Amino acid sequence: MHPLAAQWIVGLLRDRHIPFQICGGLAAKGYGAERALNDIDLFVPDEHFMTVVQAGQAYISKPAAHHCEEGWDLTYVQFKYEGIKVEVGNAEGAHILDAASQEWVPLNIDFARYETVNLLGLALPLMLKEDLIRYKSMLSRPVDIDDVRAMRECSK
């Protein structure tokens, strides 16, 4: 089902020429992590966020709002497509909690910095491996630690 959800959100974004960057478990998978995906996570620039929300309105499972949870402080919308959660974050003002220092750190998403990787039958712009490892290391949740270990072990 993940390929269908990925095709849906990527089609929605590309039809509207909206830049995006895949992060989270799907990006980690692109760099060698093999765990099962929980959802599809990505960011879009602030000026396109509401366009995405409106375009995917029929599939909203968690309305666009500011959330501060599980080490994340950001505005996002959650869609559910074919049973798969697709979380689209607004890159503007996104922060993560550094587990070691207990300080909120800006997650500066640079849409010019990405690597295109073929995943789920699509060429996807992934957050750069070094950036992904840095933020997942800061969050340090068990799933992030597993992803970082797998990405470091993989020679991709």
Side-chain angles (χ1 to χ4, degrees):
M1 288 299 142
H2 284 88
L4 291 175
Q7 288 166 7
W8 169 73
I9 191 65
V10 169
L12 184 148
L13 296 166
R14 290 194 169 140
D15 286 352
R16 291 161 182 79
H17 308 287
I18 296 174
F20 64 99
Q21 195 170 98
I22 303 288
C23 60
L26 181 55
K29 202 172 190 67
Y31 296 123
E34 294 181 5
R35 69 174 171 87
L37 288 176
N38 296 320
D39 55 16
I40 297 173
D41 300 300
L42 56 114
F43 281 99
V44 298
D46 178 52
E47 64 269 22
H48 298 291
F49 182 71
M50 288 313 296
T51 301
V52 175
V53 171
Q54 289 162 351
Q57 206 161 13
Y59 300 98
I60 290 176
S61 55
K62 195 185 265 189
H66 182 262
H67 297 272
C68 193
E69 58 195 15
E70 295 180 29
W72 289 91
D73 182 4
L74 77 161
T75 298
Y76 76 94
V77 62
Q78 182 186 90
F79 302 110
K80 203 163 220 175
Y81 188 87
E82 297 291 329
I84 303 300
K85 289 188 291 187
V86 177
E87 296 181 340
V88 180
N90 182 338
E92 183 73 24
H95 287 75
I96 56 169
L97 184 65
D98 183 328
S101 69
Q102 288 298 297
E103 291 181 20
W104 289 99
V105 178
L107 189 64
N108 298 315
I109 306 290
D110 180 351
F111 291 94
R113 285 172 49 89
Y114 64 89
E115 182 171 340
T116 302
V117 176
N118 288 312
L119 280 171
L120 304 179
L122 298 162
L124 298 174
L126 305 188
M127 176 179 277
L128 289 181
K129 185 176 180 179
E130 65 203 60
D131 296 346
L132 190 62
I133 286 175
R134 183 170 34 255
Y135 100 67
K136 283 186 160 286
S137 296
M138 274 192 240
L139 282 170
S140 281
R141 299 170 303 182
V143 69
D144 297 310
I145 293 166
D146 289 347
D147 283 347
V148 168
R149 186 179 303 117
M151 287 188 287
R152 286 189 169 139
E153 288 171 1
C154 187
S155 60
K156 275 192 172 182

Short mmCIF file of all heavy atoms in Angstrom, two decimals, residues 35 38 70 99 136 139-150:
data_model
loop_
_atom_site.label_atom_id
_atom_site.label_comp_id
_atom_site.label_asym_id
_atom_site.label_seq_id
_atom_site.Cartn_x
_atom_site.Cartn_y
_atom_site.Cartn_z
N ARG A 35 13.68 -1.51 8.09
CA ARG A 35 12.51 -1.73 8.95
C ARG A 35 11.23 -1.41 8.18
O ARG A 35 11.24 -0.68 7.19
CB ARG A 35 12.61 -0.88 10.21
CG ARG A 35 12.47 0.62 9.96
CD ARG A 35 12.44 1.40 11.26
NE ARG A 35 12.52 2.81 11.02
CZ ARG A 35 11.47 3.59 10.78
NH1 ARG A 35 10.25 3.09 10.71
NH2 ARG A 35 11.63 4.89 10.58
N ASN A 38 6.19 3.00 8.92
CA ASN A 38 4.97 3.35 9.65
C ASN A 38 4.12 4.30 8.83
O ASN A 38 2.89 4.26 8.89
CB ASN A 38 5.32 4.03 10.98
CG ASN A 38 6.08 3.11 11.90
OD1 ASN A 38 5.77 1.93 11.98
ND2 ASN A 38 7.07 3.63 12.58
N GLU A 70 6.34 14.09 20.53
CA GLU A 70 7.36 13.10 20.20
C GLU A 70 8.66 13.72 19.68
O GLU A 70 9.27 13.20 18.74
CB GLU A 70 6.82 12.10 19.17
CG GLU A 70 5.67 11.25 19.69
CD GLU A 70 5.16 10.27 18.65
OE1 GLU A 70 5.95 9.83 17.79
OE2 GLU A 70 3.96 9.96 18.71
N ALA A 99 17.61 15.27 22.17
CA ALA A 99 17.41 14.45 23.37
C ALA A 99 18.54 14.63 24.39
O ALA A 99 18.30 14.57 25.60
CB ALA A 99 17.28 12.98 22.99
N LYS A 136 18.03 12.49 13.11
CA LYS A 136 17.60 11.27 13.79
C LYS A 136 18.48 10.98 15.02
O LYS A 136 18.00 10.47 16.03
CB LYS A 136 17.58 10.08 12.82
CG LYS A 136 16.37 10.12 11.90
CD LYS A 136 16.28 8.88 11.05
CE LYS A 136 14.88 8.68 10.51
NZ LYS A 136 13.93 8.22 11.51
N LEU A 139 17.12 13.32 17.79
CA LEU A 139 15.85 12.84 18.34
C LEU A 139 16.07 11.63 19.25
O LEU A 139 15.47 11.52 20.30
CB LEU A 139 14.88 12.47 17.22
CG LEU A 139 14.16 13.62 16.52
CD1 LEU A 139 13.42 13.11 15.29
CD2 LEU A 139 13.20 14.32 17.46
N SER A 140 16.91 10.71 18.78
CA SER A 140 17.31 9.53 19.56
C SER A 140 16.17 8.65 20.08
O SER A 140 16.32 7.99 21.10
CB SER A 140 18.21 9.93 20.75
OG SER A 140 19.50 10.16 20.27
N ARG A 141 15.03 8.64 19.37
CA ARG A 141 14.00 7.68 19.73
C ARG A 141 14.50 6.30 19.27
O ARG A 141 15.35 6.22 18.38
CB ARG A 141 12.68 8.02 19.02
CG ARG A 141 12.13 9.40 19.38
CD ARG A 141 11.00 9.80 18.48
NE ARG A 141 11.41 9.80 17.07
CZ ARG A 141 10.64 10.13 16.05
NH1 ARG A 141 9.39 10.52 16.27
NH2 ARG A 141 11.08 10.10 14.81
N PRO A 142 14.00 5.21 19.85
CA PRO A 142 14.49 3.88 19.43
C PRO A 142 14.45 3.67 17.92
O PRO A 142 15.40 3.14 17.34
CB PRO A 142 13.54 2.92 20.16
CG PRO A 142 13.14 3.68 21.40
CD PRO A 142 13.05 5.12 20.96
N VAL A 143 13.39 4.09 17.26
CA VAL A 143 13.27 3.91 15.81
C VAL A 143 14.35 4.73 15.07
O VAL A 143 14.89 4.28 14.07
CB VAL A 143 11.84 4.27 15.33
CG1 VAL A 143 11.55 5.75 15.44
CG2 VAL A 143 11.60 3.80 13.92
N ASP A 144 14.67 5.91 15.60
CA ASP A 144 15.71 6.75 14.98
C ASP A 144 17.09 6.13 15.15
O ASP A 144 17.90 6.13 14.23
CB ASP A 144 15.69 8.16 15.59
CG ASP A 144 14.37 8.87 15.33
OD1 ASP A 144 13.93 8.89 14.17
OD2 ASP A 144 13.78 9.40 16.28
N ILE A 145 17.34 5.60 16.34
CA ILE A 145 18.63 4.95 16.60
C ILE A 145 18.81 3.76 15.67
O ILE A 145 19.89 3.57 15.09
CB ILE A 145 18.73 4.54 18.09
CG1 ILE A 145 18.79 5.81 18.96
CG2 ILE A 145 19.94 3.64 18.33
CD1 ILE A 145 18.56 5.57 20.44
N ASP A 146 17.74 2.98 15.46
CA ASP A 146 17.80 1.85 14.52
C ASP A 146 18.09 2.33 13.11
O ASP A 146 18.91 1.74 12.40
CB ASP A 146 16.48 1.07 14.53
CG ASP A 146 16.26 0.28 15.81
OD1 ASP A 146 17.22 0.14 16.61
OD2 ASP A 146 15.12 -0.18 16.03
N ASP A 147 17.41 3.41 12.69
CA ASP A 147 17.63 3.94 11.34
C ASP A 147 19.06 4.43 11.16
O ASP A 147 19.69 4.18 10.13
CB ASP A 147 16.66 5.10 11.05
CG ASP A 147 15.24 4.63 10.74
OD1 ASP A 147 15.03 3.42 10.51
OD2 ASP A 147 14.33 5.49 10.73
N VAL A 148 19.57 5.16 12.14
CA VAL A 148 20.94 5.70 12.05
C VAL A 148 21.94 4.54 11.94
O VAL A 148 22.84 4.57 11.09
CB VAL A 148 21.27 6.61 13.25
CG1 VAL A 148 22.76 6.92 13.32
CG2 VAL A 148 20.46 7.91 13.16
N ARG A 149 21.77 3.52 12.76
CA ARG A 149 22.67 2.36 12.73
C ARG A 149 22.64 1.73 11.33
O ARG A 149 23.68 1.46 10.74
CB ARG A 149 22.26 1.35 13.79
CG ARG A 149 23.23 0.17 13.92
CD ARG A 149 22.81 -0.82 15.01
NE ARG A 149 22.69 -0.17 16.31
CZ ARG A 149 21.53 -0.10 17.00
NH1 ARG A 149 20.42 -0.62 16.51
NH2 ARG A 149 21.49 0.49 18.18
N ALA A 150 21.45 1.51 10.81
CA ALA A 150 21.31 0.87 9.49
C ALA A 150 21.91 1.74 8.38
O ALA A 150 22.59 1.22 7.48
CB ALA A 150 19.84 0.59 9.19
#
